Amino acid sequence: QVQLVESGGGLVQLGGSLRLSCVAPGMTFRIYTVRWYRQAPGKQRELVAGISSGGNADYADSVKDRVTISRDNAKNTMYLQMDDLKPEDTAVYYCNAVRTMYDYWGQGTQVTVSS
């Protein structure tokens, strides 16, 4: 079973930036669509951004223009650059890699934005 590993979360002030990373060991990373999700307390998990194996990215309206998703297939790693962070961005962030029947998740990393 593949386990993705996130890092880069933490406490940041309003308007600050964070870069999340997610390593996907032991898989043919380049053929997967990879996504970032988040889940705030008391809310459902929501999609933040995704990038296909071909490099096409899409974003949730709530983060568009503030977030950039990227991937480095040589390192089996995906990233989420988040700028101009707001308190409503506070959540546990999860990375996900999916292809046909294969669906892998990380354990989550906490992002807290203080005002």
Side-chain angles (χ1 to χ4, degrees), residues 82-94:
M82 302 188 292
D83 300 312
D84 190 24
L85 284 162
K86 306 174 186 295
E88 52 264 40
D89 295 317
T90 295
V92 178
Y93 284 70
Y94 299 89

Side-chain angles (χ1 to χ4, degrees), residues 12-29:
V12 63
Q13 290 188 334
L14 176 68
S17 298
L18 280 176
R19 188 194 195 204
L20 306 183
S21 300
C22 174
V23 178
M27 62 187 298
T28 310
F29 181 76

Side-chain angles (χ1 to χ4, degrees), residues 12-20 38 46-49 58-70 79-91 93 111-114:
V12 63
Q13 290 188 334
L14 176 68
S17 298
L18 280 176
R19 188 194 195 204
L20 306 183
R38 67 185 182 186
E46 63 173 355
L47 177 65
V48 177
D58 53 64
Y59 300 92
D61 288 342
S62 59
V63 301
K64 199 172 292 185
D65 299 327
R66 299 189 295 118
V67 162
T68 303
I69 188 171
S70 61
Y79 304 97
L80 189 70
Q81 176 67 42
M82 302 188 292
D83 300 312
D84 190 24
L85 284 162
K86 306 174 186 295
E88 52 264 40
D89 295 317
T90 295
Y93 284 70
V111 172
T112 303
V113 183
S114 66

